[in-house]
Amino acid sequence: MIRQKIVLRFPPHIVEQPTIYHLIKDFDLMVNILRADINPKKEGRLIMELSGDDTAYKQAIEWMKGQGLEVMNLEQQIIWRDDRCTHCGACTVICPTEALYFERPDMIVKFAEDKCIVCELCLRACPARAMETLVENANFG
Amino acid sequence: MKVSRSIADINAKIKAGKAVVFTAEEVIELVADKGAAAAALEVDVVTTGTFGPMCSSGVFLNVGHPQPRIKLNEVYLNGVPAYAGIAAVDLYLGATAIPETDPANRSYPGEFIYGGGHVIEDLVSGKEVRLEASSYGTDCYPLKRIETAIRLDEINEAILYNPRNAYQNYNVAVNRGEKTIYTYMGILKPGMGNANYSSAGQLSPLFNDPLLKTIGLGTRIFLGGGIGYVAWHGTQHNPSAERDERGMPKGPAGTLALTGDLKQMKPEWLRGLSFLGYGATLQVGVGIPIPILNEEIMSYCAVRDEDLVAPVVDYSQAYPQRLSGNLGLVSYAELKSGSISVEGKKIPTASLSSYAKAKEIALTLKDWIEQGEFILTEPSLQLPSVDSGITLKPMPRKDPEEREDR
């Protein structure tokens, strides 16, 4: 049994394909969509959690890559720059999933990447701009 | 045995490498265990710290004369305007200044990605900063326009001068309105969705010397990672604010004006900040040593977050409209726990001032003193305290056409 959050990028020519249908029907995966955007260039971005049988999951990932989709693990999407973070904590009440949180009693800000849903609210909530996103994400606002 | 030691006594111990130094956090347990009298016998100095956004900050620069000379009139550093209404090549760059090209809140909420605070951080990082200036030209200062780049080590002086830092206590900001607001206290979600505070509480300098018995004009301090001094009491200094029986203020009270040579400071402790929808500012690291002259001073330094309270203020109405009153008092221990209760509602809290970094400052200052590198100073003037009668005044509103002196 595997449970993994991933980010899919759809080139314009397959943005209208019923990919999720195939993940459920052909690979028997559970799909929880966290966020979906299409930019003006008709490129799609889908952030979701997949869970199911390990082998089926691997086959599904390979199938999606074969379809021309770009598949990434979600952990690589939002970058917390420890060198910029001043551990003030302003982000901790803005982050909706508590991926950014205070470790008490030391009052150190921590980032649990596995809880992040790439909502990107932290990017502008951080006064020191310690949170960054991949350049490609800038097209999906 | 009653303790009474002078700053000279303490300095002699510092020079001998024998001074006993505790941070304001460490000393709490010592006083709880042994009592203030015994702790005062043992401890020579208590170090404090704070690292928060402090808008009333800036730097005086003397950028030197070009050839031919210029009387700077309009000046921009990396596009951020600096004040040039002093001598020919002297400037003051304020932390909240923003470029004229910044859309500010015309695109609400504005991002304020780069402002005066960021220029100060770039300067102290040793980066080259673009200088563009214009002038009207005079017989003695003929040049009318210059574009160049400056670096901190290439200019004559850079003196950090912050008119108001190290606030003694501050508001806890909430939003009782129906839409998100963007303030200097951060993003405030509607319906009191969060409560933001900004003080290091028990580590904060002026909570450890609430009546300004040791901190005065000329007190040597940790400022921006280097050495600084208390230059005056800060603007909006309000020692008459309401206090508890121990003298701790229940809301914003005393403030300090701080100064020091920027050239020996560090970018880690002077950070440019961008507050969404509000503006740019500077996060300033300040640490002040408290000499334990007697048992009374020791007992102030033992103050705990549990015993310090701050007022909860509505920033959707009460604060901007300057209405008096608050939604109650909460302790810093509650604020740090992650949630407070206001009007029966549990509200998550967040801080704008970094407690972890405040602790690092107090520990750094402790280390400097223990190593004999940092000697305490005798204040040359006491700052106005609770008996000064100084109170906070609003801006006078009158019809300028009806001035009494007309």
Side-chain angles (χ1 to χ4, degrees):
Chain A
M1 185 72 182
I2 191 168
R3 182 183 290 269
Q4 176 70 45
K5 286 190 186 130
I6 61 166
V7 179
L8 297 182
R9 287 187 188 285
F10 296 70
H13 67 280
I14 47 172
V15 84
E16 287 172 18
Q17 299 297 313
T19 304
I20 303 301
Y21 168 86
H22 288 292
L23 291 179
I24 299 166
K25 194 84 176 165
D26 303 346
F27 299 96
D28 196 23
L29 293 174
M30 294 219 298
V31 177
N32 182 15
I33 296 173
L34 302 168
R35 186 170 178 184
D37 313 276
I38 296 179
N39 72 11
K41 288 190 275 181
K42 276 192 89 179
E43 295 161 336
R45 179 180 69 164
L46 188 59
I47 298 167
M48 60 185 179
E49 186 177 70
L50 288 181
S51 49
D53 176 70
D54 284 30
T55 315
Y57 172 82
K58 276 180 201 154
Q59 286 169 347
I61 298 290
E62 287 313 308
W63 172 77
M64 286 190 287
K65 286 179 179 168
Q67 296 294 306
L69 276 85
E70 204 182 325
V71 186
M72 287 168 288
N73 281 345
L74 178 124
E75 287 82 0
Q76 302 147 0
Q77 297 297 303
I78 297 288
I79 302 144
W80 173 55
R81 286 186 51 189
D82 195 11
D83 62 320
R84 290 289 308 166
C85 178
T86 69
H87 300 276
C88 73
C91 56
T92 60
V93 282
I94 300 301
C95 176
T97 60
E98 293 177 20
L100 285 158
Y101 64 100
F102 256 139
E103 190 175 77
R104 296 185 162 80
D106 290 334
M107 308 305 274
I108 303 276
V109 172
K110 293 272 171 130
F111 180 43
E113 289 186 322
D114 57 330
K115 286 189 177 174
C116 175
I117 55 164
V118 200
C119 71
E120 300 181 350
L121 288 175
C122 56
L123 300 185
R124 301 196 303 167
C126 171
R129 294 296 191 268
M131 305 305 296
E132 289 179 356
T133 185
L134 299 179
V135 178
E136 306 94 271
N137 286 339
N139 291 328
F140 297 92
Chain B
M1 203 174 92
K2 214 169 150 111
V3 185
S4 174
R5 60 166 81 77
S6 67
I7 288 177
D9 297 337
I10 296 171
N11 281 339
K13 286 185 80 176
I14 295 174
K15 284 173 191 162
K18 287 179 180 161
V20 177
V21 190
F22 277 66
T23 70
E25 188 186 76
E26 294 164 344
V27 86
I28 291 169
E29 209 179 308
L30 184 79
V31 174
D33 282 357
K34 298 187 171 177
L41 266 178
E42 192 177 327
V43 180
D44 299 302
V45 185
V46 168
T47 59
T48 63
T50 187
F51 189 47
M54 305 190 198
C55 290
S56 198
S57 298
V59 63
F60 281 105
L61 302 172
N62 178 289
V63 294
H65 272 284
Q67 191 182 18
R69 293 178 192 267
I70 188 168
K71 158 75 188 90
L72 300 175
N73 187 27
E74 262 190 51
V75 185
Y76 302 92
L77 294 168
N78 280 350
V80 179
Y83 180 74
I86 36 181
V89 289
D90 280 345
L91 304 171
Y92 185 76
L93 172 71
T96 69
I98 55 166
E100 281 161 17
T101 51
D102 191 301
N105 270 340
R106 283 188 288 274
S107 157
Y108 179 84
E111 293 224 46
F112 303 96
I113 282 296
Y114 195 86
H118 299 87
V119 180
I120 293 171
E121 183 184 334
D122 281 348
L123 278 171
V124 81
S125 302
K127 290 184 186 166
E128 269 190 325
V129 169
R130 191 185 160 98
L131 183 152
E132 295 163 88
S134 61
S135 183
Y136 43 84
T138 74
D139 291 339
C140 46
Y141 297 121
L143 197 63
K144 290 189 175 167
R145 184 153 185 88
I146 191 162
E147 279 182 38
T148 181
I150 58 166
R151 244 189 7 238
L152 190 60
D153 61 1
E154 296 172 332
I155 61 173
N156 292 318
E157 283 86 19
I159 305 148
L160 194 73
Y161 187 93
N162 303 343
R164 180 168 72 254
N165 279 178
Y167 237 119
Q168 188 180 33
N169 208 352
Y170 210 75
N171 295 334
V172 179
V174 296
N175 170 12
R176 287 175 95 197
E178 289 169 0
K179 60 180 178 55
T180 298
I181 59 172
Y182 303 89
T183 74
Y184 69 86
M185 291 296 285
I187 302 170
L188 300 173
K189 296 190 274 189
M192 298 199 292
N194 59 307
N196 286 4
Y197 64 100
S198 191
S199 169
Q202 63 194 16
L203 265 177
S204 183
L206 294 188
F207 267 142
N208 285 278
D209 184 9
L211 305 178
L212 299 166
K213 295 203 171 191
T214 71
I215 301 169
L217 186 69
T219 295
R220 183 176 290 142
I221 63 168
F222 171 112
L223 179 62
I227 304 288
Y229 296 86
V230 173
W232 204 250
H233 64 266
T235 52
Q236 285 177 209
H237 183 58
N238 185 21
S240 309
E242 194 188 343
R243 288 168 191 267
D244 69 12
E245 63 287 350
R246 301 172 60 175
M248 300 297 170
K250 296 179 180 175
T255 66
L256 298 174
L258 305 176
T259 190
D261 181 1
L262 189 74
K263 293 191 179 190
Q264 42 94 55
M265 296 184 192
K266 296 186 177 69
E268 187 188 354
W269 300 110
L270 290 172
R271 296 286 302 275
L273 301 179
S274 305
F275 275 85
L276 192 63
Y278 163 70
T281 187
L282 186 70
Q283 190 167 12
V284 183
V286 178
I288 303 188
I290 313 286
I292 304 303
L293 305 176
N294 52 48
E295 184 185 331
E296 183 193 0
I297 307 291
M298 181 80 267
S299 63
Y300 291 134
C301 291
V303 74
R304 300 169 309 161
D305 283 332
E306 292 88 316
D307 304 322
L308 294 169
V309 293
V312 181
V313 175
D314 173 27
Y315 273 61
S316 74
Q317 269 295 320
Y319 185 84
Q321 299 306 323
R322 207 175 181 278
L323 309 174
S324 59
N326 59 56
L327 305 172
L329 301 173
V330 291
S331 78
Y332 280 96
E334 290 169 86
L335 287 164
K336 274 202 215 158
S337 77
S339 67
I340 56 169
S341 180
V342 178
E343 295 179 330
K345 185 178 155 78
K346 192 179 165 197
I347 306 170
T349 58
S351 176
L352 300 171
S353 169
S354 169
Y355 188 81
K357 292 284 178 184
K359 192 151 93 179
E360 205 179 315
I361 290 170
L363 285 166
T364 304
L365 186 53
K366 173 183 169 173
D367 185 56
W368 289 354
I369 297 169
E370 283 175 343
Q371 300 300 319
E373 295 163 9
F374 186 103
I375 305 296
L376 307 192
T377 53
E378 195 91 48
S380 43
L381 187 71
Q382 293 295 120
L383 299 179
S385 188
V386 285
D387 52 2
S388 66
I390 292 181
T391 55
L392 195 57
K393 297 177 202 61
M395 185 188 285
R397 296 296 292 270
K398 53 185 109 172
D399 184 345
E401 302 306 321
E402 303 284 322
R403 291 199 320 262
E404 285 165 22
D405 60 353
R406 271 170 72 94

